[in-house]
């Protein structure tokens, strides 16, 4: 009887944790998008008002960011400073593919980010500002979508995990 | 007759109801429907033995 | 003569396709390359010492047979990013002037579609022509003229250098500045404080405010600053004994130079022209004619870049002729 009980608890905890994990995926995305937007705003300030060269601007932003996003900016900055890339786009695309793997950002977010890499640094500050504005709009849209996704899914996956565990327990006992 | 079976069915019923609620709330009516159906089927499978036993005993009663 | 200009310095500002072609040039040619030209849809050309080297994808066309390498739009785009350190916005002013100075003092001229704003160039878009100019500081380029410029161990003559483009005018001025600033032992000339107003950033080749060329130990540099304003600021704030500046031409420049001379500061400057007549004819520099310059040096490239053609003293009387 005791073993049954322990087994049951294990099942419920496991599936509950799985559900919470799934839920977090939806919860993390809008947060990360928002953080990304704030970091890009910093980058914009560096570019428009500081006229800091892009590699250094990126490094500055990276020092203010936390973990995964910081890696992203750091990787680009380092790549550009070391001179291992011939354009920002190359460095940016590669960083999107490799450094953002342990974030919650989805494929569509990455696509959007990639489209921005080709523009960054490639024109005068007026133009850059416009592109930044446009990109914020697109990011906000993405944020809204992510937020809606979160509202729909986060709670559901969390409760679903537990409930499923309980069902399995009841059916098996 | 086992009382625990009744509890089991009750538990499943409650959970199916909650699942149904959660799924409907997050806008997945079809999935909610399926889940409810699955719940019903599972419970049916649990009681099908008992029902067949019931039929058997009725039959033996009448045929006798 | 020491030559610090080296083509390998600028290779890192070129896209992969192009630098990989240029490294195939033999060292004997590389030494002489002064310019590398990129034009969209046209062959890649390196030039130097009056010769042109059309490049094929395997190297110099005359040495290695094949089709010329045609520069693509992507090449230029990538080059612009590399030159500007991936930040076109941070070199807007340079682009407006048509060139960017990269580390090492080399300059990249650029051309494309000008975007106007109130009849002034706001920026250059769709850049499609690039000219990498390899800067060569020649230490000792001014040896031949120093004795004309130095008046006494602690004073010099106001000097004007007249020269057509590409004759080594800037190189000469740079070396004069270096020698006057460090002091010239041969004429027991003590080094003087020099204020260098480097509007086109050609003389000192500053990168983030730090001069890349040797311009002497007593030289202060105001780079990328309009000459007229720069001269006034220099006189007011840095107490120079000599003001040096490049390529005067506008009326304000002339007035600022008169101000400087009236303030007791010696002036060394250059203008474009072939002969002293060209200078006398320049309407905008009318005010400068009356004997302000005690020495006028005329340059040409008759015997190679940097030939000193003539030197005039006061009242335009000739004291040296090649």
């Amino acid at each position: 009887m005791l073993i049954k009980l322990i087994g049951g608890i294990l099942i419920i905890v496991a599936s509950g944790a799985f559900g919470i994990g799934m839920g977090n995926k939806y919860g993390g995305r809008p947060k990360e998008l928002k953080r990304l937007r704030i970091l890009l705003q910093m980058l914009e300030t560096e570019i428009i008002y500081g006229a800091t060269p892009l590699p250094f601007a990126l490094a500055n932003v990276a020092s203010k960011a936390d973990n995964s996003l910081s890696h992203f900016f750091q990787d680009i900055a380092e790549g550009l400073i070391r001179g291992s890339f011939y354009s920002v786009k190359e460095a940016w695309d590669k960083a999107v593919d490799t450094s953002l793997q342990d974030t919650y950002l989805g494929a569509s977010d990455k696509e959007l980010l990639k489209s921005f890499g080709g523009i960054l640094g490639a024109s005068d500050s007026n133009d850059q500002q416009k592109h930044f504005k446009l990109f914020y709009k697109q990011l906000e849209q993405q944020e809204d979508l992510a937020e809606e996704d979160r509202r729909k899914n986060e709670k559901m996956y969390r409760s679903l995990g537990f409930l499923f565990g309980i069902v399995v327990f009841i059916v098996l006992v | 007759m086992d009382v625990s079976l009744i509890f089991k069915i009750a538990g499943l019923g409650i959970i199916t109801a909650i699942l149904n609620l959660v799924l409907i709330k997050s806008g997945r009516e079809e999935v909610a429907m399926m889940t409810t159906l699955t719940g019903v089927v599972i419970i049916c499978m649990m009681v099908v033995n008992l029902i067949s036993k019931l039929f058997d005993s009725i039959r033996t009663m009448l045929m006798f | 003569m020491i030559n610090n200009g080296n083509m390998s310095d600028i290779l890192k500002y070129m896209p992969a396709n192009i630098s990989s072609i240029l490294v195939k040039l033999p060292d004997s040619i590389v030494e002489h390359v002064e310019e590398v030209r990129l034009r969209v849809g046209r062959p890649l050309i390196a030039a130097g010492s009056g010769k042109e080297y059309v490049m094929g994808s395997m190297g110099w066309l005359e040495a290695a047979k094949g089709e010329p390498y045609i520069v693509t739009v992507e090449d230029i785009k990538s080059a612009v990013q590399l030159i500007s350190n991936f930040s076109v916005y941070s070199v807007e002013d340079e682009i407006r002037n048509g060139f960017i100075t990269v580390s090492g003092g080399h300059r990249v001229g650029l051309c494309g579609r000008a975007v106007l704003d109130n009849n002034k160039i706001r920026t250059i878009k769709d850049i499609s022509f690039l000219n990498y100019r390899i800067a060569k500081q020649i230490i000792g380029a001014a040896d031949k003229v120093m004795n004309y410029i130095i008046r006494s161990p602690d004073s010099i003559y106001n000097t004007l250098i007249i020269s057509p483009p590409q004759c080594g005018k800037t190189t000469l001025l740079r070396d004069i500045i270096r020698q006057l600033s460090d002091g010239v032992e041969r004429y027991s000339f003590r080094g003087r404080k020099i204020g260098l107003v480097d509007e086109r950033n050609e003389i000192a080749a500053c990168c983030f405010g730090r001069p890349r060329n040797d311009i002497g130990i007593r030289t202060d540099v105001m780079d990328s600053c309009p000459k007229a304003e720069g001269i006034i600021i220099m006189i007011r704030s840095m107490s120079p004994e000599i003001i040096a500046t490049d390529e005067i031409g506008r009326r304000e420049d002339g007035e600022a130079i008169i101000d400087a001379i009236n303030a007791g500061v010696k002036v060394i400057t250059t203008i474009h022209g072939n002969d002293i007549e060209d200078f006398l004819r320049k309407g905008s520099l009318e005010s400068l004619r009356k004997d302000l310059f005690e020495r006028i040096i005329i340059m040409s490239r008759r015997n190679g870049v940097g030939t000193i053609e003539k030197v005039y003293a006061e009242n335009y009387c000739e004291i040296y002729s090649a």
Side-chain angles (χ1 to χ4, degrees):
Chain A
M1 190 60 205
L2 190 68
I3 292 177
K4 258 189 190 172
L5 204 68
I6 293 173
I9 289 170
L10 277 180
I11 287 176
I12 292 173
V13 168
S15 72
F18 181 74
I20 288 174
M22 290 287 281
N24 279 351
K25 203 171 92 181
Y26 289 96
R29 193 169 149 233
K31 268 189 214 144
E32 260 173 358
L33 281 172
K34 197 169 196 170
R35 239 178 287 149
L36 187 67
R37 190 158 56 98
I38 291 169
L39 290 175
L40 284 170
Q41 264 158 357
M42 282 185 208
L43 186 65
E44 186 196 358
T45 317
E46 293 262 6
I47 287 177
I48 311 288
Y49 301 102
T52 321
L54 192 61
F56 304 108
L58 285 167
N60 286 348
V61 171
S63 68
K64 284 170 198 143
D66 46 323
N67 266 333
S68 46
L69 288 175
S70 162
H71 281 309
F72 172 65
F73 288 108
Q74 193 66 40
D75 284 354
I76 303 172
E78 273 170 15
L80 292 180
I81 290 170
R82 249 187 288 114
S84 36
F85 295 101
Y86 287 95
S87 70
V88 180
K89 186 156 181 51
E90 282 173 51
W92 185 274
D93 283 1
K94 188 164 171 263
V96 169
D97 286 337
T98 58
S99 315
L100 288 180
Q101 262 168 2
D102 49 350
T103 61
Y104 296 119
L105 298 178
S108 60
D109 306 328
K110 289 182 183 170
E111 265 330 295
L112 186 66
L113 260 179
K114 276 190 186 178
S115 72
F116 188 61
I119 296 154
L120 197 62
S123 54
D124 62 29
S125 56
N126 252 334
D127 222 47
Q128 292 284 298
Q129 198 158 22
K130 277 182 211 152
H131 282 302
F132 267 105
K133 286 260 155 60
L134 178 68
F135 190 60
Y136 294 150
K137 281 266 159 61
Q138 289 171 328
L139 259 188
E140 266 164 40
Q141 229 164 47
Q142 203 74 5
E143 260 172 64
D144 288 347
L145 285 179
E147 184 61 33
E148 199 175 318
D149 255 13
R150 187 191 68 82
R151 214 166 26 76
K152 252 190 187 171
N153 293 320
E154 191 185 23
K155 265 201 183 141
M156 186 194 79
Y157 274 107
R158 276 182 190 174
S159 35
L160 219 61
F162 274 110
L163 292 175
F164 186 72
I166 295 171
V167 168
V168 170
F169 179 67
I170 290 175
V171 170
L172 289 185
V173 171
Chain B
M1 192 64 193
D2 199 357
V3 190
S4 77
L5 190 70
I6 293 172
F7 282 124
K8 237 182 186 177
I9 291 170
L12 269 179
I14 291 168
I15 288 180
T16 314
I18 297 173
L19 263 177
N20 191 37
L21 216 74
V22 167
L23 285 170
I24 283 180
K25 234 190 165 181
S26 58
R28 286 158 205 255
E29 281 83 3
E30 306 85 2
V31 185
M33 181 79 144
M34 292 305 290
T35 326
T36 319
L37 264 177
T38 320
V40 170
V41 168
I42 289 175
I43 293 171
C44 278
M45 269 151 79
M46 283 172 155
V47 290
V48 85
N49 269 333
L50 294 179
I51 292 171
S52 79
K53 250 187 213 161
L54 178 70
F55 283 163
D56 269 355
S57 46
I58 290 172
R59 199 166 54 193
T60 37
M61 223 155 73
L62 294 180
M63 291 295 284
F64 159 74
Chain C
M1 288 220 266
I2 300 164
N3 201 334
N4 74 347
N6 199 336
M7 198 179 76
S8 57
D9 283 0
I10 59 164
L11 286 181
K12 62 171 187 258
Y13 296 106
M14 293 182 179
N17 291 344
I18 286 172
S19 59
S20 69
I21 292 173
L22 287 172
V23 290
K24 290 185 189 131
L25 275 175
D27 287 346
S28 55
I29 294 178
V30 164
E31 255 174 49
H32 293 121
V33 170
E34 286 161 7
E35 288 184 345
V36 177
R37 290 183 170 275
L38 275 62
R39 300 180 176 99
V40 171
R42 305 271 176 245
L44 173 66
I45 298 178
S49 307
K51 270 178 116 180
E52 251 190 5
Y53 308 96
V54 180
M55 306 297 296
S57 40
M58 296 308 293
W60 182 26
L61 263 194
E62 273 174 47
K65 295 277 167 268
E67 292 292 302
Y69 177 80
I70 303 295
V71 178
T72 63
V73 179
E74 276 66 38
D75 286 340
I76 300 259
K77 270 191 188 152
S78 168
V80 170
Q81 289 212 344
L82 289 166
I83 297 161
S84 62
N85 196 6
F86 308 104
S87 339
V88 175
Y89 55 84
S90 70
V91 291
E92 271 175 61
D93 295 336
E94 282 94 331
I95 288 179
R96 210 170 295 147
N97 291 329
F99 66 86
I100 297 172
T101 307
V102 296
S103 70
H106 311 292
R107 294 184 20 180
V108 183
L110 28 88
C111 253
R113 188 163 57 86
V115 180
L116 294 188
D117 194 15
N118 285 332
N119 280 330
K120 276 196 176 155
I121 295 179
R122 188 163 66 86
T123 184
I124 298 175
K125 269 203 166 171
D126 304 333
I127 294 166
S128 15
F129 308 96
L130 292 177
N131 176 15
Y132 289 76
R133 297 174 63 181
I134 295 156
K136 294 192 175 168
Q137 176 174 23
I138 302 177
I139 305 281
D143 285 351
K144 273 190 281 180
V145 298
M146 291 313 288
N147 61 327
Y148 298 111
I149 297 172
I150 293 171
R151 184 208 290 262
S152 68
D154 46 27
S155 176
I156 63 157
Y157 294 108
N158 292 322
T159 306
L160 175 70
I161 300 167
I162 302 177
S163 152
Q166 286 267 303
C167 286
K169 165 175 36 67
T170 306
T171 313
L172 181 73
L173 179 64
R174 188 185 299 131
D175 205 50
I176 291 175
I177 293 168
R178 184 187 63 84
Q179 300 205 16
L180 293 179
S181 171
D182 284 345
V184 191
E185 229 171 276
R186 198 146 44 105
Y187 309 106
S188 57
F189 180 80
R190 291 193 297 110
R192 314 306 312 182
K193 291 180 282 178
I194 298 185
L196 171 59
V197 182
D198 200 1
E199 177 169 1
R200 286 144 52 87
N201 202 1
E202 257 181 318
I203 305 173
C206 287
C207 208
F208 291 106
R210 233 174 292 154
R212 296 288 156 164
N213 287 326
D214 181 5
I215 46 166
I217 56 171
R218 296 183 187 83
T219 310
D220 306 309
V221 188
M222 185 78 133
D223 77 317
S224 318
C225 172
K227 278 174 283 263
E229 282 161 63
I231 290 172
I232 306 288
I233 293 174
M234 271 291 176
I235 296 174
R236 243 190 253 146
S237 59
M238 303 305 281
S239 73
E241 290 159 295
I242 301 169
I243 289 267
T245 180
D246 203 5
E247 285 175 26
I248 54 166
R250 276 167 300 170
R251 196 172 293 276
E252 308 93 82
D253 300 346
E255 280 155 16
I257 282 176
I258 291 172
D259 283 348
I261 291 177
N262 288 341
V265 180
K266 296 293 176 188
V267 172
I268 299 180
T269 186
T270 70
I271 67 168
H272 273 302
N274 285 314
D275 205 345
I276 199 154
E277 306 298 323
D278 288 343
F279 164 54
L280 294 175
R281 240 179 282 135
K282 274 210 173 124
S284 55
L285 295 176
E286 214 169 5
S287 51
L288 282 182
R289 279 179 207 161
K290 297 183 214 88
D291 287 341
L292 276 174
F293 289 107
E294 296 148 321
R295 290 290 182 269
I296 296 175
I297 299 170
I298 314 282
M299 298 181 73
S300 75
R301 54 192 309 171
R302 205 150 49 97
N303 301 322
V305 172
T307 309
I308 308 296
E309 194 72 23
K310 277 175 188 150
V311 180
Y312 293 95
E314 288 93 341
N315 298 323
Y316 311 126
C317 80
E318 209 173 297
I319 55 173
Y320 170 86
S321 178

